[in-house]
Amino acid sequence: AQSVTQPDIHITVSEGASLELRCNYSYGATPYLFWYVQSPGQGLQLLLKYFSGDTLVQGIKGFEAEFKRSQSSFNLRKPSVHWSDAAEYFCAVGGSSNTGKLIFGQGTTLQVKP
Amino acid sequence: DTEVTQTPKHLVMGMTNKKSLKCEQHMGHRAMYWYKQKAKKPPELMFVYSYEKLSINESVPSRFSPECPNSSLLNLHLHALQPEDSALYLCASSPLLAKNIQYFGAGTRLSVL
């Protein structure tokens, strides 16, 4: 069965520290992978996506993610976190069948300490 | 313009009311979506429209009735809702040939009393 797991429900980091949010997926075919961010009271904003090619993808707001097929992972990283990065982060997987059905992880809440 | 606009931002309704949620996009996308999101949970897909036709209904109760009047507009008509239907309702749109790349609106926060 297709699934996405975000092992960390809640993460707290200090402002200026580095960040890594974990995402593991289970998908039979070639996955299309996404990271979304949701600020309080807002919709989801696409941070970055991976379809194929270079396994290190750059996104908006200084985020990057690395696809590791051998580990079925797509972890999100940022070298220096800003207070405005505090939000909910969702990893998602979509398929090549182009149905529009995305499978989301349960989300990770990021808190940033001053 | 990469914006999906949803109105109203907040809605309170009784269980016997009829109301509608509206969604508009001007990105030329021909696929549009309704999601339901409960607090601290990921969005759950409800409906997918492709070329203004309903292509996916994720077994949503009939008290939710979607409508796509044209390629830019998507409505969700609500009738006889239950308190457990209280949630954030998100609209999204995407290119038809890249349905995985979805752009979301800010949502309508619905409370059913």
Side-chain angles (χ1 to χ4, degrees), chain A residues 22-71:
Chain A
R22 295 183 292 162
C23 173
N24 294 98
Y25 67 90
S26 173
Y27 195 79
T30 302
Y32 292 1
L33 295 160
F34 307 86
W35 274 100
Y36 284 90
V37 61
Q38 185 175 30
S39 298
Q42 298 297 312
L44 278 70
Q45 182 180 22
L46 181 63
L47 284 176
L48 46 76
K49 60 186 181 293
Y50 173 78
F51 285 179
S52 65
D54 193 348
T55 56
L56 184 64
V57 293
Q58 302 296 320
I60 62 171
K61 304 186 179 188
F63 286 92
E64 67 177 26
E66 186 171 12
F67 171 60
K68 293 185 177 180
R69 185 184 298 276
S70 61
Q71 298 178 21

Side-chain angles (χ1 to χ4, degrees), chain A residues 89-104:
Chain A
Y89 290 80
F90 292 100
C91 180
V93 63
S96 57
S97 58
N98 201 38
T99 61
K101 296 178 77 167
L102 295 175
I103 300 168
F104 286 90

Side-chain angles (χ1 to χ4, degrees), chain A residues 32 34 36 38 41-46 49 51 88 90 93-102 104-107 109, chain B residues 33 35 37 40-45 48 55-56 58 88 90 95-107 109:
Chain A
Y32 292 1
F34 307 86
Y36 284 90
Q38 185 175 30
Q42 298 297 312
L44 278 70
Q45 182 180 22
L46 181 63
K49 60 186 181 293
F51 285 179
E88 190 79 14
F90 292 100
V93 63
S96 57
S97 58
N98 201 38
T99 61
K101 296 178 77 167
L102 295 175
F104 286 90
Q106 290 300 302
T109 302
Chain B
Y33 312 79
Y35 287 85
Q37 186 181 27
K40 299 296 185 184
K41 295 292 186 183
E44 300 171 21
L45 183 64
V48 179
S55 57
I56 293 177
E58 291 287 273
L88 180 68
L90 294 166
L96 201 60
L97 298 181
K99 287 181 177 174
N100 288 316
I101 306 177
Q102 297 178 18
Y103 295 85
F104 285 79
R109 177 74 61 187

Side-chain angles (χ1 to χ4, degrees), chain B residues 33-81:
Chain B
Y33 312 79
W34 280 115
Y35 287 85
K36 173 182 178 180
Q37 186 181 27
K38 300 288 267 186
K40 299 296 185 184
K41 295 292 186 183
E44 300 171 21
L45 183 64
M46 300 173 72
F47 303 104
V48 179
Y49 271 82
S50 302
Y51 277 123
E52 295 91 67
K53 295 195 186 311
L54 185 65
S55 57
I56 293 177
N57 176 341
E58 291 287 273
S59 302
V60 178
S62 59
R63 57 185 183 268
F64 296 91
S65 175
E67 177 197 21
C68 192
N70 60 55
S71 60
S72 300
L73 293 174
L74 185 66
N75 299 321
L76 187 62
H77 303 297
L78 314 173
H79 174 55
L81 294 193

